[in-house]
Amino acid sequence: MPSRRSALTLLAGAGAALALGTPAAGARPAHTRPFGRYGSPSRRLDALTLYVDPLGRGDHTDVASAVEAASGTGHTLVLAPGTYRGPVLVTAARAELTVIGASGDPRDTVIVHDNAAGTPRPDGSGPYGTSGSATVTVQAAGFTARDVTFANDWLRSDNPEYTGTQAVAIKVQGDRSAFHGCRFLGHQDTLYADSLALTAFARQYYRDCYVEGDVDFVFGRATAVFDRCHFRTLDRTDLAAAPYGFVFAPSTAGANPRGYLVLRSRVTSTAPDAYYKLARPWVPSSDPTAHPMLTVRDSHLGAGIDAVTPYGTMSAGFPWQDQRFAEYRNTGPGARVTVPGNRPQLTASEARAHTPADWLGDWRPRA
């Protein structure tokens, strides 16, 4: 069985999830139109559209240079199927940037790199740290991505000497960030849904997305809605006993009335039954006043979630029971209420205030 890194390289754009050997259904051969219905450099949709193709048929062969060229507001990057390796930074100056996977299948278009928190920086200034490990960092407001895979294929098994094993696929900090039909692949700290500052309540919307990982693989302080998403917890060979990890680790600022909202979603697992917790609160040293918030409602929790004790505590002094964790009308073996004190439930009246409209306010993400 190849590692994620070797499988990504071998597939070269046919995609990646944990089922890494399966190419995307209907993937186009390399000689056909690489940008599909989105035009081409010779038939550009508009002056703000740039085309990216690793085989040289676009304006750029890598995503980082295309982002650099997309200065100002309102650009669109159309990515031909392929694997794009290397870190990408979308600065705040590149507002309203849209990134589209041209084939319509996120398995075809993969942005990936392999830094971890403990990876030494080339300039000798120390390790990258968690934020620095991100394959993609989005600081701009109004960022939208469609049908793209964001991945970090750094592996613990390849680097047993590392203590900083966080490896972020994407760090999203901008307000009004939307992801439709995207995939986020990694192990620890896969999707960092965050904000630019403690006082910035960045709104984010994830629709029909797939996220996989093991330890705290959806984390941060954003006001984030996960709608009809699939969260997949991974098996681990480096641990002999449960828990293997946690799906969510919100770090919502105390002043923020809304943290993570998960609805109409599902959690599945490749690990043994009950080897994962649903969540634990993250109260970072940079914000000891954080009051993490997570609502999971109308979702299916598979057998991989420990139904008896679904929540854990990350730091002494900040028990999960003191945080804003709640559930409502969930189904599945991982949602079974066996110890009521361990499964805080919203009332029907309370649930009416836990909706995407309440979370996103005056922002309505484009479908």
Side-chain angles (χ1 to χ4, degrees):
M1 174 66 70
S3 68
R4 177 182 281 107
R5 182 180 302 110
S6 62
L8 279 168
T9 302
L10 289 169
L11 289 169
L18 238 255
L20 281 173
T22 306
R28 296 176 177 83
H31 63 273
T32 61
R33 296 166 55 195
F35 306 109
R37 61 189 179 91
Y38 297 102
S40 67
S42 61
R43 302 183 65 182
R44 201 175 300 274
L45 295 184
D46 56 54
L48 295 179
T49 300
L50 299 175
Y51 297 91
V52 189
D53 175 37
L55 299 181
R57 295 166 293 181
D59 302 303
H60 300 270
T61 58
D62 65 280
V63 178
S65 65
V67 170
E68 183 67 20
S71 58
T73 300
H75 280 80
T76 297
L77 305 185
V78 180
L79 276 53
T83 296
Y84 300 89
R85 180 168 290 277
V88 176
L89 171 62
V90 181
T91 64
R94 288 161 172 79
E96 312 299 332
L97 178 69
T98 297
V99 178
I100 300 172
S103 77
D105 189 325
R107 294 174 296 173
D108 290 340
T109 306
V110 181
I111 305 174
V112 61
H113 202 53
D114 59 354
N115 283 332
T119 302
R121 293 178 182 271
D123 63 5
S125 61
Y128 280 101
T130 300
S131 292
S133 74
T135 296
V136 176
T137 302
V138 178
Q139 299 170 343
F143 179 86
T144 300
R146 299 178 185 276
D147 305 320
V148 176
T149 292
F150 302 90
N152 190 318
D153 62 359
W154 184 89
L155 296 172
R156 296 186 193 94
S157 57
D158 291 348
N159 302 275
E161 75 281 7
Y162 278 41
T163 55
T165 57
Q166 301 89 343
V168 178
I170 187 169
K171 180 175 183 177
V172 187
Q173 297 177 282
D175 186 35
R176 296 180 293 105
S177 298
F179 296 81
H180 300 269
C182 291
R183 295 162 73 83
F184 307 92
L185 311 182
H187 285 270
Q188 183 172 354
D189 292 5
T190 304
L191 171 54
Y192 196 169
D194 204 51
S195 71
L196 286 170
L198 290 177
T199 55
F201 303 158
R203 295 164 296 176
Q204 300 173 14
Y205 182 67
Y206 301 81
R207 174 67 183 249
D208 298 317
C209 291
Y210 171 90
V211 194
E212 68 176 30
D214 48 39
V215 179
D216 306 331
F217 63 95
V218 181
F219 73 114
R221 63 175 176 240
T223 294
V225 175
F226 299 92
D227 190 1
R228 300 184 188 275
C229 292
H230 179 189
F231 304 91
R232 183 80 159 170
T233 63
L234 302 179
D235 201 3
R236 297 183 63 173
T237 59
D238 58 319
L239 295 179
Y244 278 0
F246 306 80
V247 181
F248 303 100
S251 59
T252 321
N256 190 350
R258 297 173 183 87
Y260 288 176
L261 172 64
V262 180
L263 73 159
R264 297 177 292 204
S265 295
R266 60 188 172 119
V267 179
T268 63
S269 184
T270 62
D273 290 356
Y275 266 51
Y276 273 88
K277 307 290 187 185
L278 185 60
R280 62 178 177 176
W282 177 32
V283 179
S285 58
S286 59
D287 182 20
T289 65
H291 194 193
M293 182 181 189
L294 168 70
T295 298
V296 180
R297 60 170 300 172
D298 300 294
S299 296
H300 184 88
L301 309 182
I305 297 299
D306 179 357
V308 178
T309 54
Y311 301 106
T313 293
M314 185 181 299
S315 304
F318 302 101
W320 74 263
Q321 292 90 341
D322 292 346
Q323 313 309 322
R324 295 176 284 178
F325 284 6
E327 302 177 49
Y328 182 68
R329 288 196 318 199
N330 294 318
T331 60
R336 188 176 301 116
V337 179
T338 58
V339 181
N342 289 344
R343 309 298 301 246
Q345 302 290 315
L346 296 174
T347 65
S349 176
E350 290 169 336
R352 285 194 284 272
H354 291 244
T355 67
D358 288 294
W359 252 243
L360 303 179
D362 61 359
W363 175 47
R364 295 292 182 270
R366 290 172 292 171

